[in-house]
Amino acid sequence: MSLWSWPWRTSTGASGFGRSSTAEEVTEGIDSHDLTAIVTGATNGIGKETARVLALRGAEVIIPSRTIESGLQVKESLLEQNPSAKLHVMEMDLSSLDSVETFARSFISTNKRLNILINNAGIMACPFQLSRDGIEMQFATNHLGHFLLTKLLLEKMKSTAKETGVQGRIINVSSSAHRRGYELPFSLDKLNEKSRQLGPIPYKLTLFSSFGSYKRFFAYGQSKLTNILHANELSRKLQEEGSNVTANSLHPGLIQTNITRFLGFSAAFVICLKPFLKTIQQGAATTCYLALNPKVKDATGKYYVNCNEENPLPEAKDKVLANKLWVFSEELLRKGGK
């Protein structure tokens, strides 16, 4: 997910888990048969592993997929490993506000409970393009789609927590790349400006700054910064109203998945990185830890790395900035008729 993680950290932290822990290890012995989870981006990578492990622990897992066909292929592969897995595929394109709204409406109509929402899906450093709604694609997919999805499902999560007494958990998968996010563009014109400079860059990072006028990796960093700010502001609002739902964010670590497909790394470069990469099973560990482990009950508004709480960029903890992002996101939804 990020090239600025610290891959040589191998010790465990206060949680008893660390960089080498796997998703199965951090959820061992946890019975989740009464839980229902939605995992975005569950058709590949750490999202698929997250869905697999949650289902392994007994949870009913909803897999949103851009196409039903691709989602059913994933479901079939997971059922081969665990025939008793409770998996459901529903269509959703996170970059389309209409699609997100349709998915949420369809899910709510099933009358299923919702205990866990994992906002995992993302794209990384793609070439400049606008979403169907006319919004820069990384911001649209990595932040705004999840912002709308969470908003539309929040009442369902609150009611589920109230009815069952089981604390609801919302998890935003961010990245340590948020440290390269810098100033956020709080206007649609600035957000969509192909040649915009993404805040002050303290040193020239040639590998990622020479993709043309659109600094696509720094745009990715901005979208990952919004993931943390969103979780923190959501946590604050939920605490104010006394809801039994938490919201946290995390960095999964450096993992070779298809999210890096736009970076153009050579096979030789990836081989050189391999000793520092996490496996898919390790990359999904922090997400699964936050989703199921009882050690994080009541923890909210926190940022986790390797299953332990860490401090993000100071701007990520800025309450004024978080509120400003929330207001801007709501404005974009209103412009999109949501």
Side-chain angles (χ1 to χ4, degrees):
M1 290 291 289
S2 168
L3 299 184
W4 286 284
S5 56
W6 299 97
W8 47 85
R9 290 181 183 172
T10 58
S11 61
T12 59
S15 67
F17 303 111
R19 180 188 179 277
S20 62
S21 300
T22 66
E24 285 197 26
E25 289 171 348
V26 303
T27 60
E28 187 175 358
I30 297 174
D31 184 355
S32 303
H33 282 83
D34 294 329
L35 303 182
T36 301
I38 292 175
V39 184
T40 70
T43 54
N44 54 66
I46 61 173
K48 183 178 178 181
E49 176 66 3
T50 297
R52 184 189 74 81
V53 172
L54 264 59
L56 181 67
R57 301 306 176 214
E60 182 174 7
V61 182
I62 313 300
I63 300 174
S65 176
R66 293 187 68 175
T67 67
I68 292 296
E69 292 75 19
S70 62
L72 289 176
Q73 289 176 5
V74 171
K75 177 181 177 180
E76 184 177 340
S77 71
L78 293 177
L79 286 173
E80 288 176 359
Q81 302 173 62
N82 178 14
S84 63
K86 296 177 288 185
L87 304 168
H88 305 281
V89 175
M90 297 177 66
E91 189 171 357
M92 184 179 73
D93 179 357
L94 263 176
S95 68
S96 166
L97 298 179
D98 283 343
S99 180
V100 173
E101 184 176 47
T102 299
F103 169 85
R105 191 185 308 120
S106 297
F107 175 79
I108 291 170
S109 71
T110 67
N111 292 317
K112 293 181 183 294
R113 289 171 170 168
L114 182 59
N115 307 93
I116 302 164
L117 174 60
I118 300 177
N119 294 320
N120 164 80
I123 55 176
M124 179 181 184
C126 60
F128 180 82
Q129 56 185 308
L130 299 179
S131 70
R132 296 180 194 176
D133 303 288
I135 299 168
E136 190 270 327
M137 186 61 80
Q138 294 193 82
F139 187 91
T141 303
N142 297 353
H143 168 65
L144 195 62
H146 283 132
F147 181 86
L148 176 60
L149 180 65
T150 304
K151 176 181 178 179
L152 296 176
L153 296 177
L154 195 56
E155 289 306 315
K156 170 61 71 173
M157 293 200 70
K158 291 177 186 177
S159 63
T160 297
K162 189 173 183 180
E163 291 166 8
T164 64
V166 178
Q167 192 169 71
R169 299 185 181 186
I170 298 171
I171 299 144
N172 284 0
V173 178
S174 179
S175 166
S176 65
H178 80 274
R179 299 181 186 280
R180 299 299 181 266
Y182 299 109
E183 298 173 357
L184 295 175
F186 289 119
S187 77
L188 187 56
D189 288 342
K190 189 172 182 182
L191 178 66
N192 291 343
E193 189 177 290
K194 188 175 180 180
S195 62
R196 77 182 190 271
Q197 295 297 316
L198 305 181
I201 302 172
Y203 55 86
K204 185 176 181 181
L205 191 61
T206 306
L207 178 61
F208 294 114
S209 63
S210 57
F211 286 149
S213 58
Y214 174 58
K215 304 298 187 293
R216 55 187 182 176
F217 196 85
F218 293 106
Y220 172 73
Q222 286 186 322
S223 72
K224 295 289 96 180
L225 176 58
T226 65
N227 294 154
I228 304 175
L229 290 168
H230 172 220
N232 289 351
E233 182 66 4
L234 177 60
S235 171
R236 186 188 66 78
K237 291 178 180 293
L238 290 168
Q239 285 181 290
E240 280 187 353
E241 61 187 45
S243 295
N244 191 23
V245 178
T246 64
N248 293 291
S249 57
L250 67 100
H251 165 55
L254 178 58
I255 310 148
Q256 177 59 25
T257 67
N258 70 357
I259 194 174
T260 61
R261 63 191 180 277
F262 295 113
L263 296 182
F265 289 157
S266 67
F269 184 71
V270 172
I271 290 173
C272 291
L273 276 180
K274 212 160 191 179
F276 304 103
L277 298 176
K278 280 187 175 184
T279 65
I280 296 291
Q281 293 76 16
Q282 292 168 338
T286 304
T287 304
C288 290
Y289 175 74
L290 291 177
L292 298 183
N293 201 288
K295 291 181 181 179
V296 289
K297 185 179 185 297
D298 297 328
T300 188
K302 309 294 185 182
Y303 173 72
Y304 289 80
V305 180
N306 296 329
C307 300
N308 289 280
E309 183 183 346
E310 286 203 7
N311 285 318
L313 187 75
E315 285 82 350
K317 300 168 72 174
D318 188 324
K319 295 179 182 179
V320 174
L321 188 61
N323 180 257
K324 193 173 181 179
L325 172 65
W326 191 282
V327 171
F328 178 55
S329 301
E330 291 281 13
E331 289 175 355
L332 290 178
L333 293 184
R334 283 194 292 272
K335 288 179 180 178
K338 308 304 174 190

